[in-house]
Amino acid sequence: MDADDLLAALDPEQRAVALASQGPVCVLAGAGTGKTRAITHRIAYAVATGVVSPAQVLALTFTVRAAGELRGRLRALGGGAEAVRASTFHAAALRQLAYFWPRVIGGRPPRLVESKLPMLREAASSLGVRLDGPAVSDTVTEIEWAKVCQIHPESYVFAASEAGRAPAAGVEDVGRLYAAYEALRRDRQLIDFESVLELTAAILLTEPAVAREVHAQYRYFTVDEFQDVNPLQKLLLDAWLGGREELCVVGDPRQTIYSFTGATAEYLRSFAADYPQATMVRLVRDYRSTPQVVDAANRLMARQAPVSGVAVSGVAVSGVAVSGVAVSPVPDADSLVAQRPPGPDPGISRYADDEAEAAGVAREITDLIRQGVPANEIALLLRINAQMERFERALTEASVPYVVRGAERFYDRPEVRQALVLVRGAARAAGAGTDATGLPGELPAAVRHVLASAGLGATPPATRGAVRERWESLSAIAGLADNLAAARPGATLADFAAELAERAETGHAPVAAAVTLATMHAAKGLEWDAVLLPGLTEGIMPIVHARTAEAVEEERRLLYVAVTRARVHLALSWAPARTPGAESSRQRSRFLAAVQAQGSQAQGSQAARGSQTTRGSQAARGSQAARGSQAARGTGVRG
């Protein structure tokens, strides 16, 4: 695309982002408003108009998948934008640390430890502290929180108590474990992910020659999901900037859901104060969801304090022109404005108990699939992992294929790494003419033959948990071979190995032909045609640990993120009793009153038996289902 074409592909607010090609710039981007489109076009426009060399751009985000998406979008735009470096904070810092360590410190850089668990367990054993179950992951979270907030071990107990943190192992024991973990790490000359950020920032701040070199290399910064920045990342970002203001940030305070990890939206909220000359743009046109889903999301957030604590100088609020682009005002600057055709109303159902709810949700999913919604366009999102087992069982009994999506990256799973090694080895053997494995001639059959040694069988195992997840991972890789063979009939094992390597680099995980089962946190950044949100009772949503007003509001934001993952179909449900015949002791989530359209809740004996009779369900079962997976998937400009 040339510069004019880049602008023509954008809506007025997105165009304002692109035209503000020199920083500082802050983009407040609501869910589904095309923020990735806006910032990639801004970068490409700056490159196309000679504002910056692509080699001097650093686009930062938080996940390998998001960084891969940025690279893919920039590559598609071309014109030099494909040369822009798009990276996670950690990957960019690790690259610089490895490069400068021999010069500044001397010798080889320390080895990176990807998991804290082995050393943490060793520390616990040496201290005689028993860690099991949730206490292990909880302690890892606490150590990471302390490190990103720059809290040293000797200060942890005080800081954690002041912050109201209540780890399962207790703050005193966590403080001792944190100190022992850090001692082990330093003694063995190891670094973890937080150390990477800290050491890189320290080198930049204490070595002027290094700072000058980095500042000459990168002068044009873009940070996605700025509401998720933590203090350590902000320290490194400031070191990279070196007092310069060529910075564009994009984020949404309403999607701040990682405060427990140290992330804070305060940097986003204070951007206008930190950069008084900043251009502020608000994206509110929602291209993802139907008006019914958008209305539910807006109602949910209407009771939260407005996000307009971030001063916005005109764009999408007062219609002030930005760089010659007049932007029309919208009725409510804090609300999303749907751009898609209407769809079915969200359904809110009451079931008698947890078992009835799981069975009812499985039936609803079966209905959606029967109506034409692809299984991989359906997600069942839960607040906590403890809810997973009963829904896995219900989906299995209903013969609904599903995959469990966790926080672990697909290409980091041991079975996936093993599969990549096996495929590369088989490709090399075939290329060298020394294939002694008896591989079938067709690519899909050959890949399945290779993966059989890693545990891929013809049918999914009847058991759930780790065995099932391993099979799902291998099956997903086999599915990629099917897709490649269909697109390129002559594709070889070497072609498939190259495809896997590129996907691993970009974090482009395969999409299985199955329903996604995940936590609400793990669903951030994703979207589906249909989203089901069961288990919405007090104590679960908001979680029982949310004891302060701010903690409750974070729970509201988490539900907002879950709701806005839906393009067309949205179903929410709850059950007052845990087991059949038990006392109905639970109350529905306080948030459902805000989401609920008037008269939309299913009540009475049918709901008690698990039948969903919510308002809008008939529409969902009609022609809208087909629209949900095809034409209604989006019109106009989108992200």
Side-chain angles (χ1 to χ4, degrees), residues 492-522:
T492 65
L493 267 175
D495 296 328
F496 185 60
E499 170 85 1
L500 287 179
E502 182 178 349
R503 282 175 166 268
E505 181 186 357
T506 60
H508 187 190
V511 178
V515 172
T516 297
L517 188 58
T519 64
M520 295 178 183
H521 280 100

Side-chain angles (χ1 to χ4, degrees), residues 157-188:
V157 172
F158 175 78
S161 300
E162 286 290 296
R165 300 182 73 87
V171 292
E172 296 286 346
D173 277 348
V174 170
R176 295 168 61 210
L177 288 166
Y178 179 20
Y181 165 83
E182 283 290 272
L184 281 173
R185 184 185 62 78
R186 285 193 299 268
D187 288 347
R188 295 172 185 178

Side-chain angles (χ1 to χ4, degrees), residues 370-385:
R370 188 179 298 121
Q371 294 149 24
V373 181
N376 61 9
E377 285 294 349
I378 302 173
L380 200 168
L381 306 181
L382 304 168
R383 174 61 184 88
I384 55 176
N385 282 311

Side-chain angles (χ1 to χ4, degrees), residues 31 255 288-289 293 297 336 526-527 559-566:
Q255 297 188 67
R288 175 186 299 158
S289 305
V293 174
L336 296 172
L526 304 173
E527 58 186 79
L559 183 57
Y560 172 81
V561 166
V563 165
T564 55
R565 301 310 95 196

Side-chain angles (χ1 to χ4, degrees), residues 246-320:
E246 203 58 74
L247 171 65
C248 173
V249 302
V250 59
D252 181 6
R254 292 185 169 195
Q255 297 188 67
T256 305
I257 59 173
Y258 293 110
S259 294
F260 65 95
T261 68
T264 173
E266 287 309 305
Y267 301 124
L268 180 61
R269 294 182 184 278
S270 65
F271 195 87
D274 295 338
Y275 298 94
Q277 304 304 314
T279 298
M280 311 291 291
V281 184
R282 191 188 297 269
L283 304 182
V284 294
R285 302 173 197 258
D286 186 313
Y287 298 99
R288 175 186 299 158
S289 305
T290 63
Q292 287 76 9
V293 174
V294 169
D295 287 346
N298 285 338
R299 286 194 301 270
L300 175 62
M301 300 306 289
R303 300 186 183 186
Q304 191 186 46
V307 301
S308 48
V310 182
V312 180
S313 57
V315 179
V317 179
S318 64
V320 173

